[in-house]
Amino acid sequence: FGGWGIYKDGIIFAIIIDGELYFKVDEMNRPDFEELGSHPFVYKQGEQNSTMSYWLLPAEVQEDREILVVFVEKSVAAARRKKTTKLMKKK
């Protein structure tokens, strides 16, 4: 995908693209990112824009270790929920 994936316990929860750090987001942790004025990663796919479920990690989170740990855990949980949902759909 042209970037790097960051994993915890075998689950990708963050990506780095064009020098920017994005964390996995779902309906449970999206408000945390919205509250800080973040936005999702959007890329061009043909003629259309595609939005991924990864949102830019705000600078204030990156600079505060305690808050960063909370965001990591919430994003790992979001990635687990997504993985679980995919597995359930396959069955």
Side-chain angles (χ1 to χ4, degrees):
F1 62 87
W4 293 274
I6 301 174
Y7 293 78
K8 181 176 182 192
D9 300 329
I11 296 174
I12 186 168
F13 74 92
I15 57 175
I16 299 173
I17 297 181
D18 295 331
E20 300 285 347
L21 178 58
Y22 296 85
F23 273 23
K24 184 72 170 174
V25 171
D26 67 5
E27 64 281 346
M28 301 293 286
N29 65 336
R30 184 177 299 113
D32 298 332
F33 288 81
E34 291 172 337
E35 184 178 307
L36 295 172
S38 183
H39 58 84
F41 176 69
V42 179
Y43 65 97
K44 196 90 164 152
Q45 187 173 25
E47 295 293 317
Q48 297 181 345
N49 287 336
S50 293
T51 302
M52 293 183 67
S53 59
Y54 289 88
W55 284 51
L56 183 66
L57 188 66
E60 57 264 41
V61 174
Q62 293 181 38
E63 295 168 3
D64 186 321
R65 184 179 174 101
E66 291 179 21
I67 296 172
L68 178 59
V69 169
V70 172
F71 271 69
V72 167
E73 293 306 321
K74 286 183 175 186
S75 290
V76 169
R80 280 193 182 114
R81 284 189 293 272
K82 179 69 172 178
K83 186 175 182 177
T84 301
T85 301
K86 281 184 179 180
L87 291 174
M88 291 174 64
K89 285 182 181 180
K90 283 184 179 182
K91 291 181 179 184

